[in-house]
Amino acid sequence: MSEHAQRRERWGSRIGLILAMAGNAVGLGNFLRFPRQAVANGGGTFMIPYFIAFILVGIPLMWIEWGIGRRGGQHGHGSLPGQFDVLWKHPVAKYLGVMGLFNTLVVLIYYCYIESWTLAWTFFSLRGDMRGLDEQGMKHFLYSYQNLSDPSVHATWVPFAFFFVTLLVNFWIVGKGISAGIEKLAKIGMPILFVFAAILVVRVLTLGPHEVVVNGVAQTASPADGLNFMYTPEWAALAKPAVWLAAAGQIFFTLSVGMGSLSAYASYLKKDDDIALSGLATAATNETAEVVLGGSLAIPAIVTFFGVGSAIAIARAGGFDLGFISMPLVFNRLPGGVPIAAAAGFMWFSLLFVAGITSSVAMATPALSFMEENFGWTRRNAVLVVAALAVGIGLFHVIYYQRGFLDEWDYWAGTFGLVVCALFEVIIFVWLFGPRNAWAEITQGAQMRIPPFFRFVLTWVTPLFLLVLMGWWTVQDAIPTLLMKGKPEAEIPVRWASRAVMFGILVAQLWLIGLAWRRRKAQGRV
Amino acid sequence: MRLVAIVFMSLAWMFVLGLTLWCFAKLMKADPSKEHLPPPGTSL
């Protein structure tokens, strides 16, 4: 073990590690993306490909990332360039690891902007700013915040202020380190998230029937109708490849695999620390938050107050409309009046904020580790530089959100980049490091017996699944997205500028990796 | 609720809750010596 590896920080406790890992995985998507995906892809039938993908892709990738991280950490590497270099002795390996720096930094910057909305809406809920607004009013309330040229509801400085506060809180926490910052946040934040979500689920599921008007006809709807809508199977959906790929995609996003942040957290483990049971516990905790809590909140509540037809339209409109327009409308209609609406809004948006921040601090970790380990920077200096970068580049997201700046980043780094990174991880860890070594790494110190069937899954099924997913997405989405098909003319220059900034980040990170390894060589550390 | 929806929801909930409880029960039973706590006096 290198001297630097021995000096690395460690997790304070295993429960802290699992909560931090679960916090990394549990994000806004558990509450906003999952219900939409389930409704749009066959309801109850969606659960079949969803759980198959969980077993064949989700759990294996979770173990692979933990294995890569723990192995790399023994050699003093907290980010993928160094971790890949340890596993595959080839000059290219470290450069492929750039995906672990690129995805996390790019997603961190725009994710913090979305996270800042949840902080703002927590504040607005407490102040009762959305009291009495109808659907149009609620839309205007959101769109005025997103569109700086429309200060009719929110002053122009408001989105900037919440964005800066969000970044400040994030970097203050990561600046305190792994144990005193990130682990402490998870130990406080995750119980709050689960308690708030559980209270809201109980409130939603115990609502009585309400009258809704559908096409001019009055009907009654209840949470049971919402659960029927979520879980009644459409068997024909199982024959559609798109449903299987949507399920695999959801598993991918929800577990935060292919990002590089799980392996960064795992790098702070010791050689014989268990990763098999801890990784599985992390994945299972995330699934509980997603299926039991996320699946029982938004859709049943919206169906109860607006009917199934409206829920379909809302689900199609996207996760932000669901979270920031429909849910506040639901809260305004809850029995109990203003205090209950304020309390429900506060709990909903603060649980989203906690889900967001426990993920964003994880995304900041690889970049900080890289600078500390390769250039000898102090944590404080690394935090200051990455924070300055996040503020500077993040301003583009605040200013140009409505012109597609964020969409480009979300697609190329937050969607496509994750599959590319996961594919690199699987190929390097399983095929190039060797299936026997990979299996030995995952089972070392294991406190559960991993069924031998997973050895076959890790070697063949998971890579194949990822290749199919990447091929499908390339044909279906990547090519049309690259060509900007259907995008308004006015957005095209902004979208190109957005890509140029992303490309600049990628090139700068590749250059830094090259520089770091030349420095290591000069110091005799390679 | 329709019976088929109840069945699907129950199976989904039982799977994730069962797996989570099984994992945490196993973690609780794990040998405490495997838990690498920081040395006494280390502030978190």
Side-chain angles (χ1 to χ4, degrees):
Chain A
M1 192 188 289
S2 69
E3 188 197 333
H4 191 87
Q6 285 174 332
R7 280 192 281 115
R8 297 191 91 228
E9 229 190 314
R10 301 285 171 203
W11 293 99
S13 65
R14 190 142 70 135
I15 190 67
L17 160 72
I18 291 169
L19 287 175
M21 286 282 198
N24 178 3
V26 176
L28 302 178
N30 291 55
F31 298 92
L32 302 180
R33 194 177 191 275
F34 169 74
R36 286 178 45 235
Q37 290 292 319
V39 164
N41 291 290
T45 332
F46 179 74
M47 294 298 164
I48 297 171
Y50 178 80
F51 284 124
I52 290 175
F54 176 63
I55 293 165
L56 299 183
V57 182
I59 295 172
L61 276 173
M62 183 63 78
W63 284 330
I64 286 171
E65 288 223 10
W66 281 63
I68 291 172
R70 188 183 60 178
R71 182 84 181 188
Q74 302 315 305
H75 297 264
H77 294 291
S79 55
L80 278 185
Q83 292 168 353
F84 279 0
D85 192 56
V86 167
L87 295 167
W88 183 35
K89 295 291 174 201
H90 191 281
V92 170
K94 58 184 176 291
Y95 291 108
L96 296 180
V98 75
M99 291 308 295
L101 291 176
F102 176 74
N103 287 345
T104 45
L105 184 66
V106 166
V107 178
L108 166 75
I109 295 171
Y110 76 76
Y111 197 81
C112 277
Y113 177 48
I114 308 293
E115 196 180 302
S116 73
W117 301 359
T118 64
L119 183 65
W121 260 248
T122 305
F123 179 71
F124 299 149
S125 299
L126 280 179
R127 278 206 333 184
D129 289 356
M130 292 169 282
R131 192 184 311 158
L133 293 181
D134 61 5
E135 192 181 344
Q136 284 310 313
M138 211 62 90
K139 280 183 178 170
H140 188 55
F141 193 84
L142 174 65
Y143 300 157
S144 165
Y145 188 93
Q146 295 168 337
N147 184 2
L148 300 181
S149 60
D150 172 16
S152 56
V153 180
H154 306 281
T156 308
W157 60 268
V158 174
F160 290 99
F162 279 105
F163 181 54
F164 291 142
V165 171
T166 303
L167 285 176
L168 196 72
V169 176
N170 268 277
F171 284 100
W172 176 69
I173 290 166
V174 291
K176 290 176 92 66
I178 293 295
S179 190
I182 292 170
E183 186 172 340
K184 213 168 190 174
L185 168 75
K187 280 180 168 173
I188 298 168
M190 290 306 284
I192 290 175
L193 183 152
F194 274 90
V195 169
F196 280 5
I199 292 170
L200 287 172
V201 166
V202 170
R203 177 64 285 218
V204 165
L205 297 184
T206 53
L207 284 167
H210 281 72
E211 193 169 279
V212 294
V213 179
V214 180
N215 298 328
V217 181
Q219 298 174 349
T220 55
S222 68
D225 295 315
L227 292 174
N228 263 335
F229 179 51
M230 275 282 292
Y231 287 102
T232 300
E234 291 170 30
W235 295 108
L238 279 182
K240 296 177 185 166
V243 171
W244 287 81
L245 290 158
Q250 179 58 26
I251 282 297
F252 210 82
F253 295 127
T254 190
L255 293 175
S256 293
V257 288
M259 183 87 80
S261 54
L262 289 168
S263 62
Y265 273 6
S267 72
Y268 296 97
L269 287 169
K270 287 183 180 168
K271 191 182 175 190
D272 291 321
D273 282 344
D274 158 81
I275 58 175
L277 183 58
S278 303
L280 188 61
T282 301
T285 307
N286 177 74
E287 289 311 298
T288 296
E290 177 148 300
V291 176
V292 177
L293 301 174
S296 310
L297 263 172
I299 297 296
I302 290 165
V303 168
T304 304
F305 289 108
F306 305 106
V308 170
S310 298
I312 293 172
I314 291 163
R316 282 193 187 135
F320 296 146
D321 281 21
L322 187 142
F324 292 87
I325 295 172
S326 306
M327 289 305 278
L329 283 171
V330 164
F331 300 144
N332 278 348
R333 294 186 182 200
L334 284 177
V338 174
I340 294 297
F346 170 76
M347 283 193 275
W348 170 248
F349 288 111
S350 52
L351 87 83
L352 290 182
F353 179 70
V354 172
I357 196 167
T358 47
S359 303
S360 54
V361 293
M363 293 174 210
T365 305
L368 299 177
S369 300
F370 181 81
M371 300 314 286
E372 287 178 277
E373 290 153 8
N374 293 295
F375 294 100
W377 288 17
T378 61
R379 183 100 182 160
R380 186 172 172 273
N381 286 348
V383 165
L384 286 174
V385 169
V386 177
L389 204 65
V391 171
I393 300 174
L395 289 178
F396 290 112
H397 289 298
V398 184
I399 298 167
Y400 295 112
Y401 172 79
Q402 289 226 316
R403 296 175 72 181
F405 198 94
L406 190 148
D407 281 357
E408 290 290 325
W409 287 39
D410 185 39
Y411 184 75
W412 294 110
T415 307
F416 200 74
L418 302 187
V419 192
V420 174
C421 184
L423 206 55
F424 287 168
E425 287 177 336
V426 175
I427 290 170
I428 290 175
F429 186 68
V430 182
W431 290 355
L432 298 171
F433 184 50
R436 191 189 294 262
N437 291 334
W439 186 253
E441 184 64 43
I442 290 169
T443 51
Q444 177 156 353
Q447 290 180 353
M448 64 172 275
R449 185 181 163 274
I450 302 178
F453 142 83
F454 272 106
R455 193 169 171 164
F456 175 76
V457 171
L458 281 164
T459 313
W460 301 111
V461 181
T462 309
L464 191 70
F465 220 125
L466 287 174
L467 278 170
V468 171
L469 195 63
M470 199 169 130
W472 176 270
W473 281 358
T474 303
V475 175
Q476 285 287 111
D477 300 322
I479 295 169
T481 306
L482 182 69
L483 300 173
M484 297 192 193
K485 283 195 174 160
K487 301 297 175 205
E489 281 292 318
E491 286 184 8
I492 289 175
V494 173
R495 285 179 180 270
W496 277 113
S498 171
R499 289 178 187 182
V501 176
M502 255 191 303
F503 188 68
I505 292 174
L506 183 68
V507 170
Q509 287 178 331
L510 285 167
W511 177 74
L512 280 173
I513 291 169
L515 187 67
W517 258 255
R518 282 196 296 278
R519 205 168 172 271
R520 280 175 167 268
K521 204 171 178 182
Q523 292 171 344
R525 289 169 65 200
V526 176
Chain B
M1 263 181 92
R2 290 187 202 114
L3 181 65
V4 67
I6 293 173
V7 169
F8 265 84
M9 192 180 100
S10 307
L11 287 173
W13 282 39
M14 275 162 53
F15 177 70
V16 295
L17 285 171
L19 186 63
T20 308
L21 291 174
W22 179 82
C23 286
F24 279 92
K26 216 162 165 56
L27 282 167
M28 304 283 259
K29 273 194 252 170
D31 180 2
S33 65
K34 292 266 183 186
E35 179 108 6
H36 297 289
L37 292 168
T42 308
S43 63
L44 286 183

